[in-house]
């Protein structure tokens, strides 16, 4: 059974940095669309960043210039200059069957890791 397991969440002060990792057990996932999503309390889940088969990346406007998505044998989200509005549960996701135009697409999810940014 393929899986996605996130780690690296925690509590950080405004302006700090965190690196989220997603352990990926399926090469099929790694060759499909992958991305990070987040959900703040009382809000809908939203796409944060995506990466396609050819490592082309797309970011939400709110995180451009601050977050970087990458992948090798795992999926990474480097988050810099964190803001209180970045607080939420962060989910790693894969969208099998798609290889491009990946932003916002997911049909396989991890359990999530909590990120809290204090002001």
């Amino acid at each position: 059974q393929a899986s996605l397991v996130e780690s690296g969440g925690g509590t950080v002060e405004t302006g700090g940095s965190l690196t989220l990792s997603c352990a990926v057990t399926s090469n099929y996932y790694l060759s499909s669309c992958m991305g990070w999503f987040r959900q703040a309390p009382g809000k809908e889940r939203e796409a944060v960043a995506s990466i396609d088969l050819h490592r082309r990346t797309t970011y939400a406007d709110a995180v451009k210039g601050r977050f970087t998505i990458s992948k090798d044998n795992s999926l990474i989200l480097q988050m810099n200059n964190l803001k209180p509005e970045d607080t939420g549960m962060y989910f790693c996701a894969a969208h099998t069957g798609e290889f491009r135009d990946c932003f916002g697409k997911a049909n396989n999810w991890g359990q999530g890791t909590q990120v809290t940014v204090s002001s």
Side-chain angles (χ1 to χ4, degrees), residues 34-84:
M34 295 204 73
W36 289 94
F37 293 70
R38 68 186 181 189
Q39 187 167 19
K43 295 188 177 181
E44 293 187 356
R45 192 173 298 188
E46 63 179 358
V48 174
S50 67
I51 187 167
D52 72 9
L53 172 65
H54 301 292
R55 289 182 164 79
R56 289 173 296 210
T57 58
T58 304
Y59 298 93
D61 288 343
V63 307
K64 281 181 181 176
R66 300 188 296 121
F67 291 13
T68 302
I69 188 171
S70 62
K71 66 177 179 178
D72 43 40
N73 293 319
S74 59
L75 186 70
I76 305 295
L77 186 68
Q78 175 65 45
M79 305 186 295
N80 297 324
N81 190 22
L82 283 160
K83 305 176 180 180

Side-chain angles (χ1 to χ4, degrees), residues 95-113:
H95 193 88
T96 54
E98 293 278 359
F99 309 103
R100 58 183 180 179
D101 299 326
C102 297
F103 191 75
K105 296 178 181 178
N107 54 16
N108 294 274
W109 297 91
Q111 294 299 307
T113 186

Side-chain angles (χ1 to χ4, degrees), residues 5-41:
V5 180
E6 303 93 337
S7 62
T11 300
V12 65
E13 294 184 348
T14 297
S17 298
L18 282 174
T19 302
L20 304 184
S21 297
C22 177
V24 183
T25 63
S26 167
N27 286 331
Y28 185 39
Y29 284 176
L30 288 171
S31 62
S32 300
C33 285
M34 295 204 73
W36 289 94
F37 293 70
R38 68 186 181 189
Q39 187 167 19

